[in-house]
Amino acid sequence: MPRPTLAQKRDFVAKAFCPRALVLSTPAIADACAVNNCSTFADLLAPFGQDVSTQITIQDGQGAPYFLDKLNIKFTTDFKIEKRSTHSRTEIDDLVHTSVLDSDQTNVPFLTEHGVDPSALSSDTSVWAPWYTLFRQQWMTTMQPSEHESFMHPVACVLVASGSEDDPVGALRTLQAHAAVNRVQTQGFSGANVLFYYVLVHDGRDPGVLQTIDHTFDQVRRAFGQNSSLLKINSNTDLIDADTSEQSKISSIWANTLSTTQPLDPHPDSVFGSMLNMRDVTALRDTVKQMMVRGIVPHMQYMIRVLSDQTANQRRGITGRLFSAGRRYFGTAAKASNTLTGVDGDTYFRYDSAEAQMRKLADYSFMLKDFRFAQSVYQVARRDFQSEKAWKCYAGAQEMVGVCKLMLEVHATRAEFDSNFEDAVTMYLHKTHAPCQHLAIRCIIIYYELLKHHKLYSFAPTTLLRVPNSSGALRAMACEQAAYAFLKFPNRPELRKFSFYAMLAAQEYQRAGIASLAHRCLRMVRLSLGATLATDESESSEKPVNDKSLDGSGTSRALASSNWSSIDSYINHELGTQCMAAQDYDHALQYFMALMGSDQIPPKLQSKYLQELLQLYLESSDKLDLESEKELAAGLDGAQNKRVELSVPTIDARMTRVIMSPDLEGEDGVLEWRNGGAAPSALVNGSADHRCSVGESVAVLLVVKNPLTIGITLNGFTLDCHFDAALDAKATNGDESESPAFAITTVDTVVLEGGQTSMVTVTITTHCAGRLTIRGATYLLCDILPTYKTLKMPGKRLNDTMEQR
């Protein structure tokens, strides 16, 4: 069985903690980059710093050889250690909101009306919430150098000059004295040991220099040594005959890189590398590879050997620590303190101190993927940081100990790594001089990504909830990711826990003003809880849910008939309110109507919901589309054509009775409703139709019940009927008669108190021969909302298949 590759398991972490190089260039190089739509030479090199194929064998911290197949490097144009202000809640909300803008916010591929889609669960959770991926990439991109770690500090300075310079060697020497180089040497971990790498560039737009470029490069090599390269670019001088497909492929190299390193910076329709051809692209890739294989990696290997020798005493264990403690407390000579105060007010160590050198040794070993040796050094350095109460340094070492454990192939138990990350986050937020929120969030993101790579989803919710409550939308995103983790549990998805955390995410998104994601989370809760309850009912052989909710499932009825009615009411109210804010009045009306079906809601809250439903109709009745095929078929005109079908009140069709005039035997006929199923019910008894004379009155008795705990009124209560005139009646009357074929009485007002059941009588009188079908009842709820109630009897329950059961 092949071992998992780095790209499959640890690529994100490897790229986050990869070496960095400072790139400085002359103005001539800036012009050569500008014609390719790259602002700096660092941008020109950026795509080729990912997954550099090193393919070399190097030695670990203990002298054992191991194979380094590939490495990442990032290029920067400046280096500064500045005080970083704590991210405010508004700034984090804006960053999350920007991540959401270009993402599909409605798709929920892993949930269907039948439950969780097993095929969708195999995909990564980042596919379910692409805004998290964008935020994660942007957050890691905005990380700045800090005094407590060497990851963001350049290990090399790449100085670039053009072959068209009058004195390329002199230009490179001038770059050596650049202010950024001075900051690297004085403020950076590398100090005076920083590596210098020199690149001489030949611009293909200047053919006159081609004859002398090799001689000029020899001068550079004699002046600066073997750490130098010759690069030829901008060979595509004949743009008219350029291959369009080749140019599109070249441009996509930089476009794909920018979408990863700068996911929130728009670059619409930008064309990159218009002056480059594939030979130039290959030359750029080879230059970066040569820079890594011949320069940076050997330099880091050399520094690891030197630092390992210098810190040998500190890494010996208890003997070395006792010797250091004795010298500290009983030595006679005064010794300068190794600690300083950083720009954030936190204590850190001088870069030439043994503690800082150990941190640098561990960081360099980690960047070269010697995780086991790096972990051992981090553990030793951690004790020194703790003894000096350098809490930021201690938190950073704790974080990296946990990262090293999870980067190793051997799976550790939760107790072996979770305490490292928990301690690191606590120290970052509560023990440092100023809360290091950016480092705490970085720690949580790294830990979560490693848990996903190892498929340890059961640890993820606890990890994600360490995000500070004050972080606003980021807290919502963490709750959403925690909810997804419950769907990835190995045995079976935990749908109710998923629903709980999705509910928390919806509330946080709502507070942060991201209504679209709040709406999506609430829809996910409806789907998941409905699927959970339907599954529970099927397992316990209870009656299944057949009606369809707003999301295409039996969610509303399942929740209303369970102990989850309060959650159902909350979800419907929130969704309805959000739809109103988005002016989606049709869906808003449906969500508010769903609130009218439960008797578990307190009277005060139920009254509030009813008033909001009526107010919604009054404000948006001209914008609502309430037509349906049933109402159109009924032939309703004008205002009657726009009616909603509401669950309040309930009319039991089985209890409906029809009282007709005396039959052949001189007795009144009391008829029950037909058990007809799909078709509209008609007045029949057994298999024979019952007839009445023209002009005879028929009384229809309906049992009406108010399921709410508050009182309601039904105004203008009447029946919806359909009349088919007999053929002889049509022939006799033709079009001459304009009188109606039948007359129906209207009950002006029906008052129903909370939970009250009442009988309503409606009289029908026919004026010509034909067939009369009663379809439903119509009325105005509280004299405002036009409502329709079907009187169709439910069909026989099907038990042929498991789905029908």
Side-chain angles (χ1 to χ4, degrees), residues 595-760:
L595 291 169
M596 298 293 103
S598 176
D599 57 354
Q600 304 295 322
I601 304 175
K604 186 176 181 179
L605 196 58
Q606 215 165 50
S607 177
K608 174 177 178 291
Y609 290 160
L610 179 59
Q611 294 299 323
E612 289 179 347
L613 171 63
L614 299 176
Q615 186 65 28
L616 169 64
Y617 179 78
L618 289 175
E619 294 179 358
S620 59
S621 59
D622 57 332
K623 303 181 181 68
L624 292 171
D625 182 13
L626 306 178
E627 296 180 359
S628 65
E629 294 181 0
K630 169 192 62 202
E631 293 166 335
L632 290 174
L636 299 176
D637 297 324
Q640 290 182 329
N641 196 39
K642 289 191 173 184
R643 292 185 179 270
V644 299
E645 186 166 358
L646 200 61
S647 58
V648 176
T650 60
I651 300 178
D652 191 352
R654 294 182 179 86
M655 297 295 294
T656 301
R657 297 293 183 266
V658 178
I659 301 179
M660 304 184 66
S661 295
D663 202 357
L664 298 176
E665 299 180 358
E667 298 179 358
D668 286 351
V670 180
L671 308 180
E672 295 184 0
W673 222 241
R674 183 183 64 172
N675 190 16
S681 301
L683 299 180
V684 299
N685 188 359
S687 58
D689 289 349
H690 285 260
R691 304 176 183 274
C692 63
S693 303
V694 174
E696 183 179 351
S697 297
V698 177
V700 181
L701 280 66
L702 301 103
V703 178
V704 182
K705 180 180 180 180
N706 178 15
L708 305 181
T709 57
I710 59 174
I712 59 173
T713 60
L714 312 179
N715 303 94
F717 190 98
T718 187
L719 294 176
D720 170 29
C721 300
H722 177 70
F723 185 80
D724 289 325
L727 294 178
D728 55 350
K730 293 180 180 179
T732 303
N733 297 333
D735 296 332
E736 297 177 359
S737 176
E738 297 181 357
S739 60
F742 62 92
I744 306 177
T745 60
T746 299
V747 180
D748 293 335
T749 303
V750 178
V751 180
L752 296 173
E753 299 298 332
Q756 180 184 352
T757 301
S758 179
M759 180 171 289
V760 180

Side-chain angles (χ1 to χ4, degrees), residues 173 214-226 228:
R173 293 192 188 279
D214 292 333
H215 175 69
T216 305
F217 181 61
D218 289 338
Q219 293 178 340
V220 172
R221 295 189 67 175
R222 285 196 298 269
F224 301 109
Q226 297 297 319
S228 55

Side-chain angles (χ1 to χ4, degrees), residues 175-194:
L175 291 176
Q176 284 182 332
H178 196 278
V181 175
N182 181 63
R183 287 193 293 270
V184 171
Q185 293 178 325
T186 57
Q187 301 178 17
F189 259 92
S190 298
N193 296 319
V194 65

